[in-house]
Amino acid sequence: MRNYLLLAIIFTTLASIVISCQDARQVQQDMYYTNGRDLYIAYCQNCHGANGEGLAKLAPPLTDTLFLKSNKKKLACWIKNGVSEQMIVAGEKYEGKMPDHNFANIDIAQMIVYVTNTFGNKQGNYTQNEVAADLSNCN
């Protein structure tokens, strides 16, 4: 009887360990998110706000999930090369210029993961390889 009880305890312990573990992709997304948050605070928050609310008519909010989804392939280009074109976000026009930033692809990926998974957005992971592909298509 003692052996069965010991096996049951071991099985229960192992099962709880396996259930609580995240897969590698989720761990990567969580790391990107955390690093992206730090980069956002340092480089983006002054204009886009602590809550992604934007800055008057100069910097658009980052709370419009549909805008972010439909422009996800452009985000890396905008972060790397800046933006000077007019944008319409959530029905409002924004004409401020976003400066360019010479970030590494990993930094851009991390910022995009943070922005697209914060402020009411839930768009999942975004990798360095996706950044590289999107940057190769910048205008």
mmCIF file of all heavy atoms in Angstrom, residues 50-100:
data_model
loop_
_atom_site.group_PDB
_atom_site.id
_atom_site.type_symbol
_atom_site.label_atom_id
_atom_site.label_comp_id
_atom_site.label_asym_id
_atom_site.label_seq_id
_atom_site.Cartn_x
_atom_site.Cartn_y
_atom_site.Cartn_z
ATOM 1 N N ALA A 50 2.146 56.176 -21.492
ATOM 2 C CA ALA A 50 2.312 55.013 -20.616
ATOM 3 C C ALA A 50 1.242 53.957 -20.869
ATOM 4 O O ALA A 50 1.476 52.765 -20.687
ATOM 5 C CB ALA A 50 2.281 55.446 -19.156
ATOM 6 N N ASN A 51 0.079 54.396 -21.320
ATOM 7 C CA ASN A 51 -1.028 53.473 -21.588
ATOM 8 C C ASN A 51 -1.342 53.376 -23.076
ATOM 9 O O ASN A 51 -2.443 52.983 -23.456
ATOM 10 C CB ASN A 51 -2.269 53.915 -20.811
ATOM 11 C CG ASN A 51 -2.031 53.875 -19.317
ATOM 12 O OD1 ASN A 51 -1.552 52.877 -18.794
ATOM 13 N ND2 ASN A 51 -2.325 54.956 -18.641
ATOM 14 N N GLY A 52 -0.393 53.788 -23.913
ATOM 15 C CA GLY A 52 -0.583 53.719 -25.358
ATOM 16 C C GLY A 52 -1.602 54.711 -25.884
ATOM 17 O O GLY A 52 -2.104 54.557 -26.991
ATOM 18 N N GLU A 53 -1.884 55.772 -25.111
ATOM 19 C CA GLU A 53 -2.941 56.715 -25.472
ATOM 20 C C GLU A 53 -2.534 57.734 -26.534
ATOM 21 O O GLU A 53 -3.370 58.446 -27.064
ATOM 22 C CB GLU A 53 -3.449 57.438 -24.221
ATOM 23 C CG GLU A 53 -2.465 58.405 -23.597
ATOM 24 C CD GLU A 53 -1.470 57.785 -22.628
ATOM 25 O OE1 GLU A 53 -1.336 56.548 -22.566
ATOM 26 O OE2 GLU A 53 -0.810 58.557 -21.921
ATOM 27 N N GLY A 54 -1.244 57.814 -26.863
ATOM 28 C CA GLY A 54 -0.784 58.771 -27.864
ATOM 29 C C GLY A 54 -0.594 60.157 -27.269
ATOM 30 O O GLY A 54 -0.753 60.370 -26.069
ATOM 31 N N LEU A 55 -0.246 61.113 -28.139
ATOM 32 C CA LEU A 55 0.028 62.474 -27.701
ATOM 33 C C LEU A 55 -0.686 63.445 -28.630
ATOM 34 O O LEU A 55 -0.241 63.696 -29.754
ATOM 35 C CB LEU A 55 1.535 62.740 -27.715
ATOM 36 C CG LEU A 55 2.009 64.129 -27.311
ATOM 37 C CD1 LEU A 55 1.643 64.419 -25.843
ATOM 38 C CD2 LEU A 55 3.511 64.238 -27.499
ATOM 39 N N ALA A 56 -1.810 63.962 -28.162
ATOM 40 C CA ALA A 56 -2.621 64.921 -28.932
ATOM 41 C C ALA A 56 -2.770 64.435 -30.369
ATOM 42 O O ALA A 56 -3.121 63.293 -30.595
ATOM 43 C CB ALA A 56 -2.022 66.309 -28.835
ATOM 44 N N LYS A 57 -2.511 65.299 -31.333
ATOM 45 C CA LYS A 57 -2.603 64.920 -32.752
ATOM 46 C C LYS A 57 -1.225 64.615 -33.331
ATOM 47 O O LYS A 57 -1.058 64.487 -34.530
ATOM 48 C CB LYS A 57 -3.251 66.044 -33.572
ATOM 49 C CG LYS A 57 -4.676 66.336 -33.170
ATOM 50 C CD LYS A 57 -5.568 65.208 -33.551
ATOM 51 C CE LYS A 57 -7.004 65.551 -33.198
ATOM 52 N NZ LYS A 57 -7.893 64.459 -33.385
ATOM 53 N N LEU A 58 -0.215 64.507 -32.453
ATOM 54 C CA LEU A 58 1.149 64.287 -32.914
ATOM 55 C C LEU A 58 1.526 62.815 -33.006
ATOM 56 O O LEU A 58 2.063 62.364 -34.004
ATOM 57 C CB LEU A 58 2.134 65.022 -31.995
ATOM 58 C CG LEU A 58 1.960 66.528 -31.919
ATOM 59 C CD1 LEU A 58 2.898 67.113 -30.881
ATOM 60 C CD2 LEU A 58 2.198 67.154 -33.290
ATOM 61 N N ALA A 59 1.289 62.072 -31.954
ATOM 62 C CA ALA A 59 1.645 60.650 -31.920
ATOM 63 C C ALA A 59 0.374 59.827 -31.736
ATOM 64 O O ALA A 59 -0.360 60.029 -30.776
ATOM 65 C CB ALA A 59 2.617 60.376 -30.793
ATOM 66 N N PRO A 60 0.125 58.903 -32.645
ATOM 67 C CA PRO A 60 -1.126 58.132 -32.558
ATOM 68 C C PRO A 60 -1.146 57.173 -31.370
ATOM 69 O O PRO A 60 -0.095 56.753 -30.893
ATOM 70 C CB PRO A 60 -1.143 57.353 -33.875
ATOM 71 C CG PRO A 60 0.263 57.270 -34.305
ATOM 72 C CD PRO A 60 0.927 58.511 -33.797
ATOM 73 N N PRO A 61 -2.340 56.832 -30.931
ATOM 74 C CA PRO A 61 -2.446 55.842 -29.866
ATOM 75 C C PRO A 61 -2.078 54.459 -30.397
ATOM 76 O O PRO A 61 -2.137 54.202 -31.599
ATOM 77 C CB PRO A 61 -3.924 55.902 -29.478
ATOM 78 C CG PRO A 61 -4.614 56.354 -30.724
ATOM 79 C CD PRO A 61 -3.653 57.284 -31.403
ATOM 80 N N LEU A 62 -1.707 53.594 -29.486
ATOM 81 C CA LEU A 62 -1.371 52.211 -29.839
ATOM 82 C C LEU A 62 -2.433 51.255 -29.315
ATOM 83 O O LEU A 62 -2.180 50.082 -29.107
ATOM 84 C CB LEU A 62 0.011 51.865 -29.276
ATOM 85 C CG LEU A 62 1.135 52.765 -29.778
ATOM 86 C CD1 LEU A 62 2.427 52.468 -29.040
ATOM 87 C CD2 LEU A 62 1.305 52.639 -31.279
ATOM 88 N N THR A 63 -3.630 51.787 -29.152
ATOM 89 C CA THR A 63 -4.738 51.022 -28.592
ATOM 90 C C THR A 63 -5.707 50.528 -29.662
ATOM 91 O O THR A 63 -6.641 49.802 -29.343
ATOM 92 C CB THR A 63 -5.508 51.885 -27.578
ATOM 93 O OG1 THR A 63 -5.910 53.101 -28.230
ATOM 94 C CG2 THR A 63 -4.649 52.223 -26.370
ATOM 95 N N ASP A 64 -5.486 50.913 -30.900
ATOM 96 C CA ASP A 64 -6.377 50.517 -32.000
ATOM 97 C C ASP A 64 -5.908 49.186 -32.571
ATOM 98 O O ASP A 64 -5.034 49.124 -33.442
ATOM 99 C CB ASP A 64 -6.399 51.599 -33.085
ATOM 100 C CG ASP A 64 -7.414 51.324 -34.189
ATOM 101 O OD1 ASP A 64 -7.816 50.156 -34.362
ATOM 102 O OD2 ASP A 64 -7.792 52.281 -34.873
ATOM 103 N N THR A 65 -6.472 48.104 -32.067
ATOM 104 C CA THR A 65 -6.067 46.761 -32.460
ATOM 105 C C THR A 65 -6.197 46.538 -33.955
ATOM 106 O O THR A 65 -5.316 45.934 -34.578
ATOM 107 C CB THR A 65 -6.899 45.709 -31.691
ATOM 108 O OG1 THR A 65 -6.666 45.896 -30.289
ATOM 109 C CG2 THR A 65 -6.529 44.298 -32.082
ATOM 110 N N LEU A 66 -7.277 47.016 -34.562
ATOM 111 C CA LEU A 66 -7.469 46.815 -36.002
ATOM 112 C C LEU A 66 -6.374 47.509 -36.806
ATOM 113 O O LEU A 66 -5.854 46.955 -37.774
ATOM 114 C CB LEU A 66 -8.849 47.298 -36.440
ATOM 115 C CG LEU A 66 -10.020 46.508 -35.879
ATOM 116 C CD1 LEU A 66 -11.346 47.146 -36.292
ATOM 117 C CD2 LEU A 66 -9.962 45.055 -36.326
ATOM 118 N N PHE A 67 -6.007 48.724 -36.416
ATOM 119 C CA PHE A 67 -4.932 49.441 -37.105
ATOM 120 C C PHE A 67 -3.621 48.673 -36.982
ATOM 121 O O PHE A 67 -2.896 48.493 -37.967
ATOM 122 C CB PHE A 67 -4.763 50.857 -36.529
ATOM 123 C CG PHE A 67 -3.657 51.622 -37.189
ATOM 124 C CD1 PHE A 67 -3.875 52.292 -38.381
ATOM 125 C CD2 PHE A 67 -2.386 51.661 -36.624
ATOM 126 C CE1 PHE A 67 -2.851 52.988 -39.005
ATOM 127 C CE2 PHE A 67 -1.360 52.358 -37.238
ATOM 128 C CZ PHE A 67 -1.587 53.016 -38.430
ATOM 129 N N LEU A 68 -3.301 48.208 -35.776
ATOM 130 C CA LEU A 68 -2.055 47.473 -35.584
ATOM 131 C C LEU A 68 -2.041 46.167 -36.375
ATOM 132 O O LEU A 68 -1.036 45.817 -36.982
ATOM 133 C CB LEU A 68 -1.816 47.196 -34.097
ATOM 134 C CG LEU A 68 -1.479 48.407 -33.235
ATOM 135 C CD1 LEU A 68 -1.361 48.008 -31.775
ATOM 136 C CD2 LEU A 68 -0.213 49.092 -33.711
ATOM 137 N N LYS A 69 -3.158 45.455 -36.379
ATOM 138 C CA LYS A 69 -3.232 44.191 -37.142
ATOM 139 C C LYS A 69 -3.069 44.442 -38.631
ATOM 140 O O LYS A 69 -2.338 43.723 -39.313
ATOM 141 C CB LYS A 69 -4.569 43.485 -36.887
ATOM 142 C CG LYS A 69 -4.575 42.607 -35.693
ATOM 143 C CD LYS A 69 -5.873 41.823 -35.614
ATOM 144 C CE LYS A 69 -5.859 40.943 -34.391
ATOM 145 N NZ LYS A 69 -7.059 40.149 -34.257
ATOM 146 N N SER A 70 -3.759 45.433 -39.151
ATOM 147 C CA SER A 70 -3.716 45.666 -40.594
ATOM 148 C C SER A 70 -2.391 46.276 -41.043
ATOM 149 O O SER A 70 -2.060 46.235 -42.228
ATOM 150 C CB SER A 70 -4.889 46.546 -41.037
ATOM 151 O OG SER A 70 -4.809 47.818 -40.441
ATOM 152 N N ASN A 71 -1.602 46.800 -40.123
ATOM 153 C CA ASN A 71 -0.311 47.400 -40.469
ATOM 154 C C ASN A 71 0.866 46.678 -39.824
ATOM 155 O O ASN A 71 1.978 47.205 -39.799
ATOM 156 C CB ASN A 71 -0.299 48.874 -40.045
ATOM 157 C CG ASN A 71 -1.192 49.711 -40.913
ATOM 158 O OD1 ASN A 71 -0.886 49.980 -42.058
ATOM 159 N ND2 ASN A 71 -2.340 50.094 -40.366
ATOM 160 N N LYS A 72 0.652 45.467 -39.340
ATOM 161 C CA LYS A 72 1.703 44.755 -38.609
ATOM 162 C C LYS A 72 2.973 44.586 -39.443
ATOM 163 O O LYS A 72 4.075 44.679 -38.926
ATOM 164 C CB LYS A 72 1.205 43.401 -38.117
ATOM 165 C CG LYS A 72 2.137 42.778 -37.095
ATOM 166 C CD LYS A 72 1.490 41.659 -36.338
ATOM 167 C CE LYS A 72 2.382 41.160 -35.221
ATOM 168 N NZ LYS A 72 1.747 40.111 -34.446
ATOM 169 N N LYS A 73 2.843 44.369 -40.735
ATOM 170 C CA LYS A 73 4.010 44.191 -41.608
ATOM 171 C C LYS A 73 4.768 45.498 -41.827
ATOM 172 O O LYS A 73 5.896 45.477 -42.308
ATOM 173 C CB LYS A 73 3.593 43.600 -42.953
ATOM 174 C CG LYS A 73 2.999 42.214 -42.858
ATOM 175 C CD LYS A 73 4.067 41.230 -42.491
ATOM 176 C CE LYS A 73 3.522 39.815 -42.476
ATOM 177 N NZ LYS A 73 4.480 38.872 -41.942
ATOM 178 N N LYS A 74 4.183 46.639 -41.452
ATOM 179 C CA LYS A 74 4.833 47.944 -41.600
ATOM 180 C C LYS A 74 5.488 48.421 -40.301
ATOM 181 O O LYS A 74 6.290 49.346 -40.329
ATOM 182 C CB LYS A 74 3.811 48.995 -42.043
ATOM 183 C CG LYS A 74 3.203 48.747 -43.400
ATOM 184 C CD LYS A 74 2.182 49.823 -43.710
ATOM 185 C CE LYS A 74 1.453 49.555 -45.006
ATOM 186 N NZ LYS A 74 0.425 50.581 -45.260
ATOM 187 N N LEU A 75 5.132 47.822 -39.185
ATOM 188 C CA LEU A 75 5.601 48.318 -37.892
ATOM 189 C C LEU A 75 7.127 48.334 -37.795
ATOM 190 O O LEU A 75 7.708 49.300 -37.310
ATOM 191 C CB LEU A 75 5.003 47.500 -36.749
ATOM 192 C CG LEU A 75 3.487 47.579 -36.576
ATOM 193 C CD1 LEU A 75 3.034 46.662 -35.444
ATOM 194 C CD2 LEU A 75 3.034 48.998 -36.337
ATOM 195 N N ALA A 76 7.781 47.277 -38.265
ATOM 196 C CA ALA A 76 9.242 47.225 -38.202
ATOM 197 C C ALA A 76 9.855 48.364 -39.012
ATOM 198 O O ALA A 76 10.805 49.016 -38.564
ATOM 199 C CB ALA A 76 9.753 45.873 -38.703
ATOM 200 N N CYS A 77 9.312 48.624 -40.181
ATOM 201 C CA CYS A 77 9.806 49.720 -41.026
ATOM 202 C C CYS A 77 9.611 51.061 -40.341
ATOM 203 O O CYS A 77 10.504 51.920 -40.374
ATOM 204 C CB CYS A 77 9.093 49.715 -42.380
ATOM 205 S SG CYS A 77 9.414 48.244 -43.370
ATOM 206 N N TRP A 78 8.461 51.260 -39.732
ATOM 207 C CA TRP A 78 8.188 52.520 -39.056
ATOM 208 C C TRP A 78 9.132 52.736 -37.883
ATOM 209 O O TRP A 78 9.634 53.834 -37.666
ATOM 210 C CB TRP A 78 6.742 52.582 -38.584
ATOM 211 C CG TRP A 78 5.745 52.669 -39.698
ATOM 212 C CD1 TRP A 78 5.983 53.026 -40.996
ATOM 213 C CD2 TRP A 78 4.356 52.398 -39.619
ATOM 214 N NE1 TRP A 78 4.808 52.981 -41.722
ATOM 215 C CE2 TRP A 78 3.793 52.607 -40.900
ATOM 216 C CE3 TRP A 78 3.514 51.994 -38.593
ATOM 217 C CZ2 TRP A 78 2.445 52.436 -41.179
ATOM 218 C CZ3 TRP A 78 2.167 51.818 -38.862
ATOM 219 C CH2 TRP A 78 1.634 52.046 -40.142
ATOM 220 N N ILE A 79 9.385 51.675 -37.120
ATOM 221 C CA ILE A 79 10.285 51.799 -35.969
ATOM 222 C C ILE A 79 11.712 52.074 -36.445
ATOM 223 O O ILE A 79 12.387 52.958 -35.925
ATOM 224 C CB ILE A 79 10.238 50.527 -35.092
ATOM 225 C CG1 ILE A 79 8.861 50.401 -34.419
ATOM 226 C CG2 ILE A 79 11.348 50.537 -34.051
ATOM 227 C CD1 ILE A 79 8.605 49.067 -33.746
ATOM 228 N N LYS A 80 12.160 51.346 -37.430
ATOM 229 C CA LYS A 80 13.546 51.472 -37.925
ATOM 230 C C LYS A 80 13.766 52.781 -38.694
ATOM 231 O O LYS A 80 14.758 53.468 -38.478
ATOM 232 C CB LYS A 80 13.866 50.284 -38.829
ATOM 233 C CG LYS A 80 15.273 50.255 -39.366
ATOM 234 C CD LYS A 80 16.171 49.537 -38.429
ATOM 235 C CE LYS A 80 17.521 49.253 -39.054
ATOM 236 N NZ LYS A 80 18.366 48.526 -38.144
ATOM 237 N N ASN A 81 12.843 53.119 -39.598
ATOM 238 C CA ASN A 81 13.042 54.235 -40.520
ATOM 239 C C ASN A 81 12.272 55.502 -40.161
ATOM 240 O O ASN A 81 12.419 56.519 -40.829
ATOM 241 C CB ASN A 81 12.658 53.814 -41.938
ATOM 242 C CG ASN A 81 13.448 52.608 -42.392
ATOM 243 O OD1 ASN A 81 14.639 52.497 -42.137
ATOM 244 N ND2 ASN A 81 12.780 51.679 -43.044
ATOM 245 N N GLY A 82 11.427 55.437 -39.155
ATOM 246 C CA GLY A 82 10.600 56.576 -38.800
ATOM 247 C C GLY A 82 9.392 56.684 -39.719
ATOM 248 O O GLY A 82 9.237 55.914 -40.661
ATOM 249 N N VAL A 83 8.542 57.642 -39.431
ATOM 250 C CA VAL A 83 7.328 57.862 -40.219
ATOM 251 C C VAL A 83 7.132 59.364 -40.381
ATOM 252 O O VAL A 83 7.210 60.113 -39.416
ATOM 253 C CB VAL A 83 6.076 57.281 -39.515
ATOM 254 C CG1 VAL A 83 4.828 57.489 -40.354
ATOM 255 C CG2 VAL A 83 6.250 55.814 -39.189
ATOM 256 N N SER A 84 6.869 59.782 -41.610
ATOM 257 C CA SER A 84 6.559 61.197 -41.828
ATOM 258 C C SER A 84 5.221 61.374 -42.535
ATOM 259 O O SER A 84 4.752 62.488 -42.680
ATOM 260 C CB SER A 84 7.674 61.868 -42.634
ATOM 261 O OG SER A 84 7.844 61.222 -43.869
ATOM 262 N N GLU A 85 4.610 60.288 -42.947
ATOM 263 C CA GLU A 85 3.326 60.363 -43.645
ATOM 264 C C GLU A 85 2.172 60.504 -42.655
ATOM 265 O O GLU A 85 2.264 60.091 -41.500
ATOM 266 C CB GLU A 85 3.117 59.115 -44.500
ATOM 267 C CG GLU A 85 3.008 57.843 -43.664
ATOM 268 C CD GLU A 85 3.177 56.563 -44.466
ATOM 269 O OE1 GLU A 85 4.132 56.481 -45.241
ATOM 270 O OE2 GLU A 85 2.330 55.668 -44.294
ATOM 271 N N GLN A 86 1.101 61.086 -43.121
ATOM 272 C CA GLN A 86 -0.107 61.216 -42.311
ATOM 273 C C GLN A 86 -0.699 59.827 -42.074
ATOM 274 O O GLN A 86 -0.682 58.971 -42.951
ATOM 275 C CB GLN A 86 -1.126 62.086 -43.038
ATOM 276 C CG GLN A 86 -2.414 62.264 -42.269
ATOM 277 C CD GLN A 86 -3.451 62.975 -43.098
ATOM 278 O OE1 GLN A 86 -4.012 62.405 -44.021
ATOM 279 N NE2 GLN A 86 -3.684 64.239 -42.780
ATOM 280 N N MET A 87 -1.211 59.609 -40.876
ATOM 281 C CA MET A 87 -1.873 58.350 -40.530
ATOM 282 C C MET A 87 -3.254 58.651 -39.991
ATOM 283 O O MET A 87 -3.452 59.664 -39.330
ATOM 284 C CB MET A 87 -1.093 57.600 -39.461
ATOM 285 C CG MET A 87 0.196 57.047 -39.885
ATOM 286 S SD MET A 87 0.838 56.044 -38.528
ATOM 287 C CE MET A 87 2.320 55.491 -39.288
ATOM 288 N N ILE A 88 -4.151 57.736 -40.247
ATOM 289 C CA ILE A 88 -5.480 57.815 -39.642
ATOM 290 C C ILE A 88 -5.615 56.605 -38.730
ATOM 291 O O ILE A 88 -5.582 55.464 -39.187
ATOM 292 C CB ILE A 88 -6.592 57.851 -40.705
ATOM 293 C CG1 ILE A 88 -6.412 59.095 -41.571
ATOM 294 C CG2 ILE A 88 -7.958 57.821 -40.022
ATOM 295 C CD1 ILE A 88 -7.386 59.224 -42.704
ATOM 296 N N VAL A 89 -5.728 56.890 -37.448
ATOM 297 C CA VAL A 89 -5.828 55.845 -36.438
ATOM 298 C C VAL A 89 -7.075 56.122 -35.613
ATOM 299 O O VAL A 89 -7.248 57.231 -35.111
ATOM 300 C CB VAL A 89 -4.582 55.813 -35.532
ATOM 301 C CG1 VAL A 89 -4.700 54.714 -34.493
ATOM 302 C CG2 VAL A 89 -3.315 55.650 -36.357
ATOM 303 N N ALA A 90 -7.926 55.136 -35.500
ATOM 304 C CA ALA A 90 -9.177 55.267 -34.743
ATOM 305 C C ALA A 90 -9.980 56.479 -35.220
ATOM 306 O O ALA A 90 -10.562 57.212 -34.429
ATOM 307 C CB ALA A 90 -8.902 55.340 -33.251
ATOM 308 N N GLY A 91 -9.955 56.723 -36.540
ATOM 309 C CA GLY A 91 -10.728 57.801 -37.129
ATOM 310 C C GLY A 91 -10.123 59.193 -36.987
ATOM 311 O O GLY A 91 -10.718 60.168 -37.429
ATOM 312 N N GLU A 92 -8.947 59.300 -36.390
ATOM 313 C CA GLU A 92 -8.287 60.594 -36.186
ATOM 314 C C GLU A 92 -7.036 60.688 -37.057
ATOM 315 O O GLU A 92 -6.320 59.711 -37.228
ATOM 316 C CB GLU A 92 -7.886 60.767 -34.714
ATOM 317 C CG GLU A 92 -9.048 60.753 -33.748
ATOM 318 C CD GLU A 92 -9.899 62.001 -33.813
ATOM 319 O OE1 GLU A 92 -9.361 63.085 -34.133
ATOM 320 O OE2 GLU A 92 -11.104 61.900 -33.557
ATOM 321 N N LYS A 93 -6.755 61.907 -37.567
ATOM 322 C CA LYS A 93 -5.555 62.145 -38.366
ATOM 323 C C LYS A 93 -4.381 62.502 -37.463
ATOM 324 O O LYS A 93 -4.519 63.298 -36.540
ATOM 325 C CB LYS A 93 -5.772 63.306 -39.341
ATOM 326 C CG LYS A 93 -6.708 62.996 -40.464
ATOM 327 C CD LYS A 93 -6.820 64.187 -41.406
ATOM 328 C CE LYS A 93 -7.883 63.914 -42.455
ATOM 329 N NZ LYS A 93 -8.061 65.070 -43.343
ATOM 330 N N TYR A 94 -3.224 61.912 -37.783
ATOM 331 C CA TYR A 94 -1.981 62.196 -37.063
ATOM 332 C C TYR A 94 -0.927 62.568 -38.084
ATOM 333 O O TYR A 94 -0.694 61.840 -39.038
ATOM 334 C CB TYR A 94 -1.534 60.983 -36.240
ATOM 335 C CG TYR A 94 -2.504 60.696 -35.126
ATOM 336 C CD1 TYR A 94 -3.598 59.876 -35.329
ATOM 337 C CD2 TYR A 94 -2.344 61.286 -33.881
ATOM 338 C CE1 TYR A 94 -4.514 59.636 -34.317
ATOM 339 C CE2 TYR A 94 -3.249 61.056 -32.863
ATOM 340 C CZ TYR A 94 -4.336 60.231 -33.093
ATOM 341 O OH TYR A 94 -5.229 60.012 -32.084
ATOM 342 N N GLU A 95 -0.289 63.726 -37.865
ATOM 343 C CA GLU A 95 0.671 64.220 -38.839
ATOM 344 C C GLU A 95 2.058 64.435 -38.239
ATOM 345 O O GLU A 95 2.941 64.948 -38.918
ATOM 346 C CB GLU A 95 0.146 65.518 -39.457
ATOM 347 C CG GLU A 95 -1.155 65.290 -40.196
ATOM 348 C CD GLU A 95 -1.653 66.527 -40.919
ATOM 349 O OE1 GLU A 95 -0.826 67.353 -41.330
ATOM 350 O OE2 GLU A 95 -2.873 66.646 -41.075
ATOM 351 N N GLY A 96 2.265 64.058 -37.003
ATOM 352 C CA GLY A 96 3.584 64.215 -36.393
ATOM 353 C C GLY A 96 4.589 63.263 -37.013
ATOM 354 O O GLY A 96 4.234 62.220 -37.560
ATOM 355 N N LYS A 97 5.854 63.616 -36.960
ATOM 356 C CA LYS A 97 6.912 62.773 -37.499
ATOM 357 C C LYS A 97 7.483 61.900 -36.393
ATOM 358 O O LYS A 97 7.814 62.382 -35.322
ATOM 359 C CB LYS A 97 8.024 63.632 -38.090
ATOM 360 C CG LYS A 97 9.167 62.787 -38.616
ATOM 361 C CD LYS A 97 10.129 63.590 -39.443
ATOM 362 C CE LYS A 97 11.334 62.843 -39.937
ATOM 363 N NZ LYS A 97 11.346 61.439 -39.966
ATOM 364 N N MET A 98 7.575 60.610 -36.681
ATOM 365 C CA MET A 98 8.229 59.696 -35.759
ATOM 366 C C MET A 98 9.671 59.547 -36.223
ATOM 367 O O MET A 98 9.923 59.259 -37.394
ATOM 368 C CB MET A 98 7.532 58.331 -35.783
ATOM 369 C CG MET A 98 8.129 57.332 -34.823
ATOM 370 S SD MET A 98 7.127 55.839 -34.775
ATOM 371 C CE MET A 98 8.397 54.601 -34.753
ATOM 372 N N PRO A 99 10.634 59.746 -35.317
ATOM 373 C CA PRO A 99 12.039 59.652 -35.731
ATOM 374 C C PRO A 99 12.448 58.210 -36.029
ATOM 375 O O PRO A 99 11.814 57.267 -35.559
ATOM 376 C CB PRO A 99 12.801 60.194 -34.519
ATOM 377 C CG PRO A 99 11.899 59.945 -33.360
ATOM 378 C CD PRO A 99 10.500 60.071 -33.902
ATOM 379 N N ASP A 100 13.521 58.088 -36.805
ATOM 380 C CA ASP A 100 14.065 56.758 -37.069
ATOM 381 C C ASP A 100 14.902 56.319 -35.862
ATOM 382 O O ASP A 100 15.351 57.144 -35.067
ATOM 383 C CB ASP A 100 14.896 56.750 -38.346
ATOM 384 C CG ASP A 100 16.070 57.715 -38.280
ATOM 385 O OD1 ASP A 100 15.991 58.713 -37.545
ATOM 386 O OD2 ASP A 100 17.071 57.466 -38.971
#
